[in-house]
Amino acid sequence: MEEDNVPRGVVDPEVRAYIYSLVSALGGTGADEDGRYVLGDDALACLKDLKRWLKLYDEKTNRFDVARCLAEANLVKGDLIEILMAWPEDATKDRIMSKIALACLELLVPLTWPIERNELQTTVNHHRHIPYLQLAQISYKREILEHNSSAVLHTAVRIGLPSIALSSGERGPRDEGIIKLLLYFFRNVVMISAPPNLPVEWNEEDVSRSATIDAFHNQGVFALLLTISSNMGEDFNTQDVVVLELLFHMLKGVEIEKLFVNETQLKAKKSNELQELMVKEAAMQRGYVKTAPTRHNRFGTMIWVKRDDERVSSVSGQDVLSNSQHTFARMDQTKKWNRPKQHGKNSEQSQNSFDIPAPLTVSARNHLRNFIEEFLDSSFNPLFNHLRRAIEREADRVLDIHSQHFFYLVSWFLEAERVRRKTAKERNEKNAQSRGEVFEPDSFGLVASVLNQETFVQLNRFMQDRLDTKEWQEVNAGTRCFTQVLHTVQEMADSTLEEDQDIAENIQNRIFYEETTHDRIIAILRGYKDQGFSYLDATTQLSHVFLRMLERYSKENVDLQIRSRRRARRKKKTATMTQLPEAQDSLLEQDSEIEDVAEAQRVSKERKFDFTRFSSKFLTQSCIDTFVTFTTYFKDLTTEQLKRAHRFFYRVAFKRDMSVMLYRLDIIALFNRMIKGPEGLNTANPMFREWDELTMQLNKRMVKKLQQRPELAIELLFSKISSTVFYLEYGYEKQTITSKLRAPVELEVKGDLPLQEQIKIAAAVIHLADKSGFVQFVKDTLISAAIERQSWETEAEARRLLTSEAEPSTELTSQKTHAPSILVKPDTDERKTALMKDNKLQLLMRLAGFERVGVDDEATATWVVPPALTSSQLQETQNLIENQDNYVSAKYGDGDLISLEEMLVRRRDPRPRAEFDDESEGDSTDHMGEEFLFPKNNPVPRRSDVLAELRKKRRRRRRETDSEGEGIDSVDDMARRAKQKARVLADLERRRKLKSDILIHSSDEEDNEDRDTKFFAKEAERRLGQTLRVLKALEVMEEDSTAGATTRKRERPAVGDREAKRARYTNIESESDEDELPRMTDEGSSPRNEIDISTSEHDTTDTPPSSPQNNHLKEVQVNRILLEQNRHTFKSSGVSPFAEDDEDEDDEESLLPTSSRMRGRAAFLDESDGE
């Protein structure tokens, strides 16, 4: 190319002159050599000079001037390739020629290095040269792949073979560099592709992916890659990332399903695709024919459409005249707002994007399939295991982009292995059936290196990190990898091999065990926002597969446990302050370092997994919007993708019964357009019937819900929040209970230290807790309060002097004026929260003299500086807090130094506590200093209570007597005391639950004399009936007691029998409960009564003159007299005491004791009578 064709100023003329001179001295073709290329005398030196120019001028100055001059001089096609082809095949020992060939390779690598624009580093020089250099690189690749000899790549392989043949121990840095240089050259050849925005002068198929694959297969590059990959980690260590890049750029966008099918299946698939395209075209034509232009309607047309609001809209085109639907559709198209796209850092297509499909020819497909099968059999595990370790330890050669390449290739090879196994299984089953054999599947050991726990941990970390930094292209790669891992595990679980099933069970347990994995899947689905269709497809596929597999696994494992994590701050360790001050300082520094490391420590907790609870997280509006966006591409979706979207909406509407979330106009319109058009889903599509049924059932439910909830007509316009969904489902708003903020536990300083020491300790504790801002806040408050109080005191003193001079005899001079309280105002929200929740800050403020206005239990009470504090006191307190910096320990009592944290204890209750009296049976209102709002709600005393009181008096007398003589077992006494204490505590608990409704009713204020008269008459009837029943029972008891006493006097047991019987019934008494009525035995007497019967002989001498039996007989006589009087009263009034309804009888029966219990009481009376 002539220099005159280049605009002046593009390249420095002096630089161009140097470059051209070196290219001319390199060599050339001559007529006397039959057109063969002849090297110059200093060819090797010229190649090295050109290399220096590229390195020292272009790379150092960030320019492309030298590369532009070399492209203009046609160095690659005219010199470098010709030199490589001039190297004979058998000249392996020619050292000069091998050096020249290596120098040519060292120039080819930088000249073919991919060019990417960096917006931050792009200059005017780059904009001038990059388009030209991109076209030049395409010509380089075309010459490398389609040279007449077709051996350029093979010659490059010959350059690196001597270094490759050496073992890893014998290989030096130069050999490692040659191997890496060779692999980079192959990588560059693969990466060079035709730019989409630049025209080319030749056929693009010459530099396509298919031509590259064919050249690699024919010239031995694939064999070299297999050799290096299979020995990765043994003979090769640093070449792994270069092989990774080469494989990524060669395999990205290749359709795997088409790769592993035979010719017959491929032709059938292509025929089906062609038929589907023809059906789509016919449907488009049918819709177009209705409004297709003719020879008579090619003139322009514009109409006015009058809307409801008396406005007029103009619509152009003759197709709007056909019907109103086309008219409004055209109006909607004109009203559509095309939002400007935000071109972010991931929006532009780069060389690392993998969502562009790459079609392959038949030969390239066969060559690539053979390479992939051999790679999976021999090289996959060594290469990817070595790569995972290098990425995990963040080796120097590993870049950030390599993680994306790694996980994308993992997903690609896992899918390739599954498709290969599926194809091989179908083929082998046919062959086995023809031969009568049974097909045995192979294990998944060929891809085991990426199915271990280390890979899963690295994948989760990669996805979470890229999700946080919003690197959507890399999140897409991780999403695809995770999806293929789940597919592979699912096939392993369905395998007939027991080993694969066990491995799949273990993998699923590890994947589903972490709740963070579940949350990440949901976050990825919710976070979709204009990241492209490829990202949308991968996101919806992952959520669909994960949800389906987790549902299946949770049904098989009912007791599935997951680990949930929450953020927690580690509490500060308090070290004992018994060491020297130097040791204390070092210990504090060590603790602070540990706290810095563990500040964001995660605390884990296991809980049972609930699939319903987890699946409800997919019912949010953001998740539904993601699938709605995915469904808008229904014309381009495959059957599997349509099925994926259908299953999600079916789960939302019918499985979880949350169809309210789909009641939105745009969603309903989308579903109806898919079914009824215009431009809807093809009726021949296998998923059309299912979508039709879903749309019909959803519309039915929506109409029914509109009849139930007319408010839904408004909510159709908006997305649904949780409160709206709850109201539309149940018809009322969800009730929420807000918890009241409780005040923290009050603290105090241990011991009887002076107030000054307590203030220093409280301030030092807050300072050591890294909350020195709170201490500064208290000091600032004290300073401002002291200034304000000082000004008030000065003013008050002046006013007092003036008043005393004017009216010395008045009472004003003797009146003591009080200063106003000063309100403590927190300066920030943090201070305001601390005043409510931080008990250490509250302790410091309380010691400083501040008071809290309001109820003590309320956390929202305000703090004030009381009037009693003078300005001098406030200033003194502020000085005390200032001098707490060196206060790190304190001495409690006569012991050693202890930490300040241990000096703070819970504040004791200032209210007096009542001592517990074991013998007291009275009211326990003041127990533990507790005050009750309402008096004790004791039941009405009954006769059993009187009997119990008599027993207690007798036991008390017996204990007094036994303490002088025999005594009672201490174990029984302890058991009785324990029962006594438990009864008192139960009474306290009951009284705490006492409400005012027991004492006061809303109906108490109502006056109704008739109702009161009837009520008292009814009560009198009940009392009379109860009295009659008691008297009748007492008459029976008198007869039984007389006969029983005579019998027991004749058959009194011996002293030893009495003692044994006493011990037996004493144990029964200690084990039984203290009921109101004693428990009956088979003979009708209680154990307690038997104890009273078997008392010692001393009891008979201590019987009082008036025994309980005699008192009770007198009471019986009195009751008889009252009964006779009541009978006369009821006869005169005409009311029968026994004419009661059924309800009253039930109440009486519940209050009356049974006959057996009455006999039990008779036993007690018989004993008294006998004594």
Side-chain angles (χ1 to χ4, degrees), residues 637-672:
L637 297 182
T638 62
T639 303
E640 189 273 333
Q641 292 171 336
L642 287 172
K643 182 178 180 180
R644 183 194 313 163
H646 176 272
R647 294 297 182 268
F648 177 80
F649 292 123
Y650 178 81
R651 180 184 297 274
V652 172
F654 300 102
K655 274 193 172 183
R656 295 304 312 277
D657 199 16
M658 290 291 291
S659 55
V660 178
M661 300 295 296
L662 302 180
Y663 296 160
R664 208 173 64 191
L665 285 182
D666 58 337
I667 301 177
I668 299 299
L670 174 63
F671 290 172
N672 289 332

Side-chain angles (χ1 to χ4, degrees), residues 47 50-55 58-59 63-64 66-68 70 75-76 80 102-115 133 137 140 181 184-185 187-188 192:
L47 292 173
L50 291 174
K51 177 184 174 182
R52 293 192 191 97
W53 271 98
L54 282 173
K55 184 176 182 179
D58 278 6
E59 294 182 9
R63 300 172 65 90
F64 291 108
V66 177
R68 175 69 177 266
L70 294 177
L75 175 67
V76 174
L80 298 182
L102 180 60
C104 292
L105 185 62
E106 290 177 348
L107 278 175
L108 283 173
V109 170
L111 290 176
T112 57
W113 198 273
I115 300 175
L133 293 178
Q137 286 184 346
Y140 299 162
L181 191 69
Y184 273 124
F185 174 65
R187 192 277 313 263
N188 297 344
I192 295 175

Side-chain angles (χ1 to χ4, degrees), residues 544-555:
H544 171 72
V545 174
F546 186 85
L547 195 61
R548 186 188 61 183
M549 287 187 60
L550 183 56
E551 182 179 13
R552 176 181 175 181
Y553 187 75
S554 61
K555 290 180 180 178

Side-chain angles (χ1 to χ4, degrees), residues 13 33 67 131 262 429 440 654 656 683 838 901-902 930 1092 1155:
E33 298 294 338
N262 52 31
E429 284 180 352
E440 296 182 0
F654 300 102
R656 295 304 312 277
T683 55
D838 197 333
E901 286 281 352
E902 297 178 2
E930 187 172 3
D1092 295 333
S1155 58

Side-chain angles (χ1 to χ4, degrees), residues 46 49 51 81 223 237 241 400 643 661 691 734 799-800 829 843 875 1064 1102 1112 1165:
C46 293
D49 289 342
K51 177 184 174 182
I81 294 180
N237 293 316
V241 293
D400 293 338
K643 182 178 180 180
M661 300 295 296
W691 275 101
K734 188 176 182 180
R799 189 183 301 108
R800 187 186 64 81
D829 294 338
L843 172 63
Q875 186 63 37
R1064 181 171 67 254
D1102 296 335
H1112 193 65
L1165 296 174

